[in-house]
Amino acid sequence: MLSVIATDLPRLIPCNGSRLMGASVPPVDATDATKDEGNAVHWLVAQIHAGKFTAETIVGKKSPEGIFITNEMVEHTDEYRSAFADGAVEVDTSHAGNGWNVRGRADAIKYVPAGGHLTIGELKYGWRIVEPEMNWMLISHVAGFIANNPDK
């Protein structure tokens, strides 16, 4: 059975043979500190969305990675949190077929039944630009949402 993580799809789709190679090398600019800051920003969004903190009270709190939440981090997520306030965060989008499965977790999903409008959020923190066009991870999140919610 072919079992992959959605974040590996941008490598696998153009080159099926890459599944036989070692793990992907992280981008040159991705340091542990950068990853920890990104994870801390994801944590702050999830905490505010769950109602455990407000945007004002989370500043100065320490994330599980040990990163202190700053005003800048909260401000960076203002528009994103607003866009998904009535959606869901950290959504399982795993899906499978005959002989394969893709494990996925979307940062945020908002589905509006009127018109069947689906929005997938991919929160990024830092300076690296990520293009949405032909983004196989985002496409997988859509496929997983549809597979897991056939009534929508």
Side-chain angles (χ1 to χ4, degrees):
M1 169 172 294
L2 177 61
S3 182
V4 297
I5 300 169
T7 55
D8 289 339
L9 290 174
R11 179 180 178 195
L12 178 67
I13 296 295
C15 180
N16 186 16
S18 68
R19 64 186 165 74
L20 303 173
M21 299 170 58
S24 297
V25 176
V28 174
D29 61 347
T31 64
D32 286 341
T34 302
K35 289 180 207 170
D36 287 347
E37 278 189 342
N39 289 337
V41 169
H42 279 269
W43 176 81
L44 89 82
V45 168
Q47 297 300 301
I48 293 172
H49 191 80
K52 295 179 180 176
F53 295 98
T54 65
E56 295 77 26
T57 62
I58 200 165
V59 174
K61 301 292 185 212
K62 191 186 277 191
S63 76
E65 293 79 21
I67 303 295
F68 285 97
I69 303 302
T70 66
N71 279 321
E72 179 185 74
M73 291 172 167
V74 174
E75 289 172 11
H76 177 83
T77 66
D78 282 347
E79 187 176 333
Y80 180 85
R81 286 184 291 108
S82 177
F84 292 98
D86 55 347
V89 298
E90 305 295 324
V91 180
D92 182 7
T93 59
S94 301
H95 55 288
N98 187 16
W100 60 270
N101 72 48
V102 178
R103 297 177 315 281
R105 182 204 39 80
D107 294 341
I109 291 182
K110 180 177 178 179
Y111 177 72
V112 179
H117 189 86
L118 177 64
T119 304
I120 306 288
E122 177 65 16
L123 177 62
K124 296 297 181 194
Y125 184 73
W127 301 102
R128 192 167 150 238
I129 301 295
V130 177
E131 296 295 337
E133 290 83 18
M134 297 306 292
N135 186 315
W136 292 105
M137 181 183 68
L138 294 178
I139 293 168
S140 178
H141 291 329
V142 171
F145 179 83
I146 293 169
N148 296 332
N149 298 279
D151 56 320
K152 295 187 179 188

